[in-house]
Amino acid sequence: MVMLDKKSIYEYEGINSTYHDADIVICGVPFDGTCSNRPGTRFGPDGIRAEIDGLETYSPYQDEDMIDYNYVDVGNIEIPIGSTSKTMGCIHENIKSILEDNKKIITLGGEHLISYPIVKAFAEKYSNLHVVHLDAHADLRSDYLEEKLSHATVMRRIYETLDKGYIFQYGIRSGTKEEFQFAGEYTKLQAFNLNGIEKVKSLVGNDPVYLSIDLDVLDPSIFPGTGTPEPGGIDFNELINGIISLKDVNIVGADIVELSPHYDISGVSNIVAAKILREVAIIMSRREEH
């Protein structure tokens, strides 16, 4: 198993700290081994990085600047080829190693299944971890084509991993009848939009929260660069406002997944994902500071 070197691999304005000094570590997981529709999310992490240098570090949405905080990008986790289970173990061990250094982590995907071993590592550190999940798809299938490990089952596996925590799901507009029935009993699902996301703080208090953003929560007219586009999604401003509404929540980790750059030759999807990274990084830092 190859472990990250824990040193800066990529440097950009606003993301140029050392690993030792960084409060938040950014890493990529270029994996799309279970994509059921159109593959390509393995290119997502570097698609986001390609646009970071062209993005202002200052967020007018939050009146905050990334240069006032400490971030490091340690590059991509090197994953084994051809084995989903070995890949899950590799991701888990690398994330666990970073958590042992008491860092917050933002992971760039990659397909959504990467969230499972990541959340598993976080749940081992935080017994009362909650998950906020933004997505077009419920991802609550018990199995998909008789496979337990799939981007279509990731939230079901995460549900089985959490101890006392809740899963809050927003923007969901696709899934089987059984998935929605399961959500009605075992998760807190808001279909079609992000209504109520501002109430997460009052529901979880200061408990640790993991934020998982599947970028196909956005309408494909805004974000076509994804493998499973679902019409009827939210717009960019709604997503940004939803993220910022979590600014007082104790977010200890996050992922941004399901960017497939080559389905959007304009490059706009990469820029959208990079801008979301900026806003997520800042809200996690603001909570650290304030």
Side-chain angles (χ1 to χ4, degrees):
M1 181 181 298
V2 179
M3 300 297 289
L4 284 167
D5 286 338
K6 294 184 178 180
K7 63 183 180 181
S8 176
I9 302 297
Y10 300 92
E11 291 191 2
Y12 329 88
E13 186 180 7
I15 306 178
N16 53 12
S17 178
T18 65
Y19 182 86
H20 178 269
D21 293 334
D23 300 309
I24 296 178
V25 175
I26 298 168
C27 67
V29 181
F31 174 72
D32 60 2
T34 79
C35 286
S36 57
N37 190 8
R38 305 185 300 176
T41 56
R42 71 184 68 182
F43 304 109
D46 289 340
I48 295 173
R49 293 182 177 112
E51 301 299 335
I52 290 176
D53 267 339
L55 187 69
E56 292 84 358
T57 59
Y58 172 73
S59 166
Y61 302 98
Q62 302 189 63
D63 189 25
E64 294 276 356
D65 201 309
M66 292 181 74
I67 63 174
D68 295 325
Y69 303 105
N70 294 320
Y71 309 102
V72 65
D73 185 342
V74 295
N76 294 337
I77 294 174
E78 187 173 339
I79 57 175
I81 297 173
S83 173
T84 299
S85 61
K86 287 182 180 179
T87 294
M88 297 299 100
C90 181
I91 296 168
H92 174 263
E93 290 304 311
N94 273 279
I95 295 298
K96 183 178 179 180
S97 176
I98 298 171
L99 288 175
E100 288 171 351
D101 296 327
N102 296 313
K103 306 293 187 182
K104 293 183 176 181
I105 306 171
I106 302 175
T107 309
L108 310 179
E111 64 161 81
H112 209 164
L113 181 58
I114 70 167
S115 302
Y116 167 51
I118 296 171
V119 172
K120 182 179 178 182
F122 273 88
E124 290 167 358
K125 182 178 178 69
Y126 303 101
S127 62
N128 55 340
L129 183 73
H130 305 280
V131 174
V132 173
H133 169 218
L134 312 183
D135 202 329
H137 307 92
D139 291 344
L140 288 168
R141 297 176 191 238
S142 177
D143 65 83
Y144 184 71
L145 299 177
E146 300 183 351
E147 289 290 337
K148 293 287 188 179
L149 295 175
S150 167
H151 70 151
T153 69
V154 58
M155 284 299 142
R156 186 68 165 262
R157 300 289 84 83
I158 286 174
Y159 168 81
E160 296 165 353
T161 298
L162 296 181
D163 182 9
K164 302 173 184 177
Y166 296 113
I167 297 178
F168 301 88
Q169 298 183 280
Y170 297 94
I172 311 301
R173 56 191 186 275
S174 179
T176 66
K177 182 177 181 179
E178 290 75 18
E179 286 179 274
F180 279 90
Q181 289 174 334
F182 183 91
E185 188 168 356
Y186 297 110
T187 78
K188 300 180 182 298
L189 185 148
Q190 172 63 43
F192 309 119
N193 54 52
L194 306 188
N195 291 354
I197 194 171
E198 72 282 355
K199 298 177 182 177
V200 168
K201 171 64 177 177
S202 65
L203 295 171
V204 305
N206 198 44
D207 285 357
V209 169
Y210 185 89
L211 174 62
S212 183
I213 302 176
D214 184 327
L215 292 162
D216 67 26
V217 70
L218 290 162
D219 191 81
S221 62
I222 298 161
F223 189 82
T226 189
T228 50
E230 290 285 348
I234 64 174
D235 65 26
F236 180 79
N237 287 334
E238 184 175 0
L239 178 55
I240 292 299
N241 289 335
I243 291 169
I244 294 173
S245 75
L246 300 172
K247 67 182 184 299
D248 295 321
V249 173
N250 182 20
I251 301 176
V252 293
D255 61 56
I256 301 169
V257 299
E258 296 288 350
L259 166 66
S260 292
H262 55 289
Y263 297 125
D264 180 3
I265 60 173
S266 73
V268 168
S269 296
N270 293 5
I271 297 168
V272 168
K275 203 165 187 178
I276 291 167
L277 169 61
R278 182 186 71 190
E279 303 307 318
V280 170
I282 288 174
I283 65 162
M284 289 173 65
S285 301
R286 290 182 66 181
R287 182 58 170 73
E288 185 81 21
E289 291 286 313
H290 305 305

